[in-house]
């Protein structure tokens, strides 16, 4: 508890909210690394997952499923810090490249797998009905499969962004800024208040991201495709009765 109270006092120290080492500057640096890596991830994994998930028949569909799962499992097994060190040694394209390589590699699997699974789970009857109405393959993907798969797609995007935000602290290991600067510099100085304060900021940013995706989920996902959406059901023990025609009167001759 003393560490927590001391870290809260760290937020009120002089100069903590101004200057190049202030919280606003470090937060903007952290957001810049995170959002840039997230944009690259979405540009790579989202279209690839949509196209591969759209394939359903033949050897191409089986190969697509194997490619998605094997590549995702392989990427998850890669050590993030090891990738960072390797990128620092092998690249010379700029300071951002070493940090973007491990972040993108970490974030691609959840986006790719969830997008692929979301499109694959769309009922075949919906797709057949859309094709029967004359829709092309692109129209079926955009108007039918994408809206139905949106809950899983957003889940993958949320997971990827939170992982990027949490892992972007390693940027401080290669001399870059961000909230990880407080953790790495605090460790070198044995300043535990700074380490705890940096960790609290990263956690708070992850929570804000979670809340933002919750609002995006309500705005982007149709109520009819949300998990647990109410469906029209009949009460047990009741049956619909067919509406019968009115009785015909029999007339007799006088």
């Amino acid at each position: 508890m003393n560490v927590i109270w001391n870290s809260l006092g760290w937020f009120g120290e002089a100069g903590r909210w101004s200057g190049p080492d202030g919280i606003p500057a470090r937060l903007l640096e952290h957001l810049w690394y995170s959002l840039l890596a997230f944009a690259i991830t979405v540009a790579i994994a989202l279209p690839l997952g949509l196209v591969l998930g759209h394939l359903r028949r033949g050897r191409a569909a089986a190969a697509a499923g194997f490619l998605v799962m094997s590549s995702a499992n392989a990427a998850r097994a890669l050590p993030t810090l090891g990738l960072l060190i390797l990128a620092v040694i092998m690249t010379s394209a700029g300071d951002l490249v070493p940090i973007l390589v491990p972040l993108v590699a970490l974030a691609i699997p959840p986006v790719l797998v969830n997008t692929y699974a979301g499109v694959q789970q769309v009922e075949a009857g919906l797709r057949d009905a859309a094709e029967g109405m004359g829709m092309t393959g692109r129209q079926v993907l955009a108007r039918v499969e994408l809206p139905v798969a949106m809950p899983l797609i957003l889940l993958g995007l949320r997971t990827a962004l939170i992982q990027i935000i949490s892992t972007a602290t390693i940027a401080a290991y290669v001399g870059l800024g961000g909230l990880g600067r407080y953790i790495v510099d605090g460790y070198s100085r044995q300043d535990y208040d700074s380490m705890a304060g940096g960790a609290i900021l990263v956690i708070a940013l992850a929570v804000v991201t979670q809340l933002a995706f919750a609002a995006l989920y309500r705005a982007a996902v149709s109520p009819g495709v949300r998990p647990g959406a109410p469906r029209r059901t009949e009460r047990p023990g009741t049956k619909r009765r067919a509406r019968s025609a009115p009785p015909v009167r029999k007339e007799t001759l006088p």
Side-chain angles (χ1 to χ4, degrees):
M1 291 297 295
N2 292 332
V3 175
I4 297 177
W5 285 113
N6 292 337
S7 63
L8 293 179
W10 174 84
F11 285 95
E13 293 179 0
R16 188 60 59 199
W17 297 91
S18 61
D21 194 43
I23 292 176
R26 294 303 186 193
L27 179 61
L28 288 178
E29 291 173 345
H30 199 94
L31 287 174
W32 166 240
Y33 306 147
S34 301
L35 294 180
L36 182 59
F38 182 68
I40 296 173
T41 299
V42 172
I44 296 173
L46 186 60
L48 186 60
L50 291 174
V51 172
L52 295 180
H54 183 69
L55 302 175
R56 292 174 181 258
R57 300 183 181 91
R59 296 181 179 179
F66 175 78
L67 174 64
V68 170
M69 299 310 298
S70 59
S71 60
N73 292 331
R76 287 169 178 167
L78 294 174
T80 304
L81 188 57
L83 273 178
L84 175 65
I85 296 174
L86 183 63
V88 171
I89 296 173
M90 297 183 62
T91 62
S92 59
D95 294 336
L96 279 178
V97 174
I99 183 61
L100 291 178
V101 170
L103 291 181
V104 172
L106 176 70
I108 281 180
V111 177
L112 179 61
V113 171
N114 280 48
T115 303
Y116 172 81
V119 177
Q120 278 283 305
Q121 75 169 3
V122 178
E123 296 180 3
L126 292 176
R127 181 177 179 179
D128 294 340
E131 291 176 347
M133 296 172 61
M135 290 187 181
T136 64
R138 291 183 179 180
Q139 290 175 334
V140 172
L141 178 59
R143 299 183 183 181
V144 178
E145 293 176 333
L146 181 59
V148 176
M150 190 59 67
L152 270 182
I153 293 175
L154 288 179
L155 176 61
L157 294 175
R158 183 192 66 187
T159 303
L161 184 54
I162 290 178
Q163 287 181 346
I164 289 175
I165 289 173
S166 303
T167 314
T169 53
I170 64 174
Y173 283 100
V174 293
L176 296 179
L179 299 177
R181 198 76 266 159
Y182 297 131
I183 299 175
V184 174
D185 294 345
Y187 180 78
S188 63
R189 300 192 305 263
Q190 297 297 307
D191 185 358
Y192 298 108
D193 295 342
S194 176
M195 295 174 62
I200 291 173
L201 288 172
V202 174
I203 294 172
L205 187 57
V207 171
V208 171
T209 302
Q210 178 85 9
L211 296 176
F213 267 94
L216 180 61
Y217 181 91
R218 296 189 185 95
V221 178
S222 174
V225 298
R226 294 176 185 176
R231 296 182 178 180
R232 186 176 180 181
T233 57
E234 297 179 5
R235 295 181 180 179
T238 61
K239 296 182 179 179
R240 290 185 178 180
R241 296 182 179 179
R243 184 176 296 177
S244 57
V248 179
R249 295 183 181 180
K250 294 183 180 180
E251 298 182 358
T252 57
L253 294 175

